[in-house]
Amino acid sequence: MEKKIAVILGDGIGPEVTQQSIRVLNAIGQRYGHSFQYEYGLMGAVAIDQTGNPLPDETIAICLKSDAVLFGAIGDPKYDNDPTAKVRPEQGLLKLRKELQLFANIRPVSTYHALQHLSPLKSKQLKGVDFVIFRELTGGIYFGKKELSEDKTRASDDCVYTQPEIERVAHLAFQYAQKRKRKLTLVDKANVLETSRLWRRVVQEIAAQYADVAVDYMFVDNAAMQVILNPAQFDVILTENMFGDIISDEASVLSGSLGLLPSASVGNTTALFEPIHGSYPQAAGKDIANPLGSILSAAMLLDHLQMQQEAQTVRDAVAWTLSHGFVARDIDPVNNYATSAIGDLIVDHIERQRDGGRRNSNASLNQSTII
Ligand code: IPM
Ligand code: MN
C-alpha cells in the first residue's frame, strides 16, 4: 500500500522521538511492501518562531490531504510562565484538533511486566490493568467563550456541550468497548455540573443500543481515586475534554513512565497520532528521551490504516526492547540507552524478525546492541 503521512515534529523532544517512529515505519514498509510518503508541517513554538503563527494554514492543508498525521509534541518554557503571551504553541494543537474535527482522543493504558517495579502502585494492584480512555477533544471548557474583564480582575471559561457532540464520541467508545471487555464507565460531575447531567442522560439513552456493554457512572473525584486504588476495574472510560486531560495524565503513571504512552485522535477527517508526553524541553536535543510513546503511537497509526499485523510487529518489537532492558533514562537512570539506539534496536528487530530470540532470549545484550 502507498500512504501519505503528514509529520509535525513540533517542539522540544518532538523531533527526535518522531524521527525514530519514521525509521520504524520505514522498516515496516520494507518488511511488508508498503511505501510511506512523508510531508512535513510546522506547528507550535517552532512555527511561531518561523512564521509568527502556531499553526500555519499550510500545515492544516498538508494534514487534510494525508492518510494520517504523526505528531511529536509542542510547548516551550518561554511561553509557560508568561500569562500575557498572546500567541502560544498550544493554540496550534487546539486549532488543529478543531480544524481536523478530531473529536475523540483515545489513550490506552497498559502495563508491562518488566516495568512494574517503576509503577507507584504495588504489583498486585497492577494485575489485569488494561483500559482505554476516550476523551472528548473538541468541546467543553477548552473551547467555550473565554473572557477577561477590562480591569483584568475577573475571568471566565464557558463549558458547553451539545447532544450531538456527546453522541458521536459515545458511540465510538461503546463500539470500542464491544471489542474489548464490554464495560464502559462514564466519568463526570453530574452532582454539580449541568453539562455532566446532559452527558449522563445522553449516554444512558445510547446505552440501550449497546445492551452487551455494562455501563457505570462515576464522579470524577471518585474516578481520580479509583484509577489508583483499583485500576483493573476499568475497561473503557468515557469522559469530557478536561476531565479526560487530567485523568489520562494520572493514569499514565500506572505503566511506570509517561514516556511510554501513545494516543490517537480521530474524528471526521485525517486522524492524528501522538505520544501523550509533552515537549520535555530539558531533554531536547540530548538523545535521551524515550521514543516508545511515539513509536507506539505509530503502531496505532498502522492499526488505523488497517495494517493490524504491521502494528503488532511494532508492539512486539517494543515489548522485546523492554523485556531485555533496552530502555531510556526515564525508565532506568543507571543503565539506559539513547533515543536513537532504542530506535536502532526496534528497527533491527523488525528487519531481522528475531521471533525465536524474543521470548527465550538467545539474543544476548551484546549481540543485540551490535547492529
Ligand atoms: C494534551 C495536552 C494538551 C491538552 C495541551 C498541550 C493543550 O496536555 O494533549 O493532553 O491539554 O489537551
Ligand atoms: Mn494533557
Side-chain angles (χ1 to χ4, degrees):
M1 273 196 259
E2 267 189 29
K3 295 288 176 192
K4 285 203 193 86
I5 301 185
V7 179
I8 301 176
L9 299 172
D11 304 323
I13 59 168
E16 59 209 80
V17 295
T18 310
Q19 196 51 46
Q20 302 314 316
S21 290
I22 291 173
R23 297 178 60 213
V24 168
L25 287 173
N26 289 340
I28 288 289
Q30 284 272 323
R31 175 165 162 187
Y32 290 93
H34 305 303
S35 131
F36 298 112
Q37 309 294 335
Y38 306 99
E39 203 170 341
Y40 290 78
L42 289 173
M43 183 167 82
V46 66
I48 300 175
D49 291 346
Q50 289 185 34
T51 70
N53 181 350
L55 179 64
D57 288 348
E58 196 199 340
T59 303
I60 302 171
I62 292 171
C63 294
L64 285 172
K65 65 174 200 224
S66 299
D67 297 300
V69 182
L70 185 63
F71 166 52
I74 51 164
D76 191 299
K78 71 182 174 210
Y79 300 95
D80 290 347
N81 298 323
D82 177 8
T84 63
K86 290 242 155 35
V87 188
R88 314 180 149 272
E90 289 78 8
Q91 289 162 346
L93 180 58
L94 296 178
K95 182 163 177 219
L96 189 67
R97 288 172 179 168
K98 205 68 176 177
E99 293 282 336
L100 301 184
Q101 301 172 58
L102 302 173
F103 58 78
N105 183 228
I106 305 165
R107 296 185 168 183
V109 179
S110 43
T111 53
Y112 291 89
H113 190 71
L115 303 183
Q116 285 198 350
H117 63 287
L118 293 173
S119 174
L121 264 57
K122 299 194 179 75
S123 49
K124 72 172 199 292
Q125 280 160 301
L126 292 171
K127 209 159 160 264
V129 171
D130 174 19
F131 63 95
V132 181
I133 300 173
F134 268 70
R135 166 188 175 194
E136 199 290 328
L137 203 59
T138 51
I141 198 165
Y142 271 60
F143 290 96
K145 196 161 101 201
K146 298 181 187 309
E147 279 182 324
L148 179 63
S149 67
E150 232 160 78
D151 68 359
K152 298 192 174 16
T153 61
R154 184 181 178 280
S156 63
D157 298 274
D158 280 356
C159 181
V160 182
Y161 270 109
T162 64
Q163 179 155 351
E165 282 177 318
I166 299 167
E167 281 169 352
R168 59 187 184 178
V169 66
H171 280 295
L172 284 189
F174 271 106
Q175 285 155 18
Y176 212 80
Q178 280 184 319
K179 292 193 222 121
R180 294 176 44 96
K181 292 178 272 178
R182 295 197 294 278
K183 183 175 175 200
L184 182 144
T185 305
L186 176 68
V187 168
D188 64 23
K189 188 73 187 173
N191 49 347
V192 176
L193 301 178
E194 204 55 54
T195 41
S196 285
R197 288 191 275 272
L198 181 64
W199 271 83
R200 230 175 236 226
R201 177 177 65 74
V202 172
V203 168
Q204 269 163 4
E205 282 168 19
I206 288 178
Q209 296 170 42
Y210 300 92
D212 53 339
V213 177
V215 184
D216 65 358
Y217 302 89
M218 201 179 268
F219 296 142
V220 62
D221 45 355
N222 182 27
M225 197 166 70
Q226 295 299 329
V227 160
I228 301 299
L229 284 181
N230 179 15
Q233 71 184 287
F234 296 112
D235 180 21
V236 172
I237 291 180
L238 169 64
T239 191
E240 62 96 68
N241 203 342
M242 189 152 82
F243 297 159
D245 180 45
I246 298 167
I247 293 279
S248 60
D249 265 31
E250 185 195 10
S252 75
V253 303
L254 302 179
S255 71
S257 172
L258 181 68
L260 277 176
L261 292 193
S263 82
S265 301
V266 306
N268 294 332
T269 67
T270 318
L272 176 145
F273 301 84
E274 60 169 309
I276 89 156
H277 63 68
S279 59
Y280 191 16
Q282 303 86 331
K286 296 189 180 154
D287 203 21
I288 58 171
N290 189 344
L292 296 185
S294 178
I295 291 171
L296 290 168
S297 301
M300 292 183 88
L301 181 155
L302 292 168
D303 269 331
H304 185 77
L305 298 177
Q306 302 302 322
M307 299 181 184
Q308 274 85 11
Q309 199 190 336
E310 290 84 335
Q312 194 51 45
T313 299
V314 174
R315 289 190 188 105
D316 288 349
V318 166
W320 175 83
T321 58
L322 289 173
S323 63
H324 285 79
F326 303 134
V327 295
R329 189 179 288 201
D330 58 325
I331 291 179
D332 190 334
V334 181
N335 294 312
N336 48 60
Y337 288 73
T339 314
S340 53
I342 295 171
D344 290 344
L345 287 158
I346 291 176
V347 164
D348 181 57
H349 192 272
I350 291 168
E351 282 171 355
R352 293 204 213 169
Q353 310 177 32
R354 286 186 296 205
D355 292 335
R358 199 177 299 150
R359 272 190 190 84
N360 51 19
S361 176
N362 303 333
S364 76
L365 195 130
N366 284 341
Q367 282 165 334
S368 308
T369 45
I370 298 167
I371 301 162

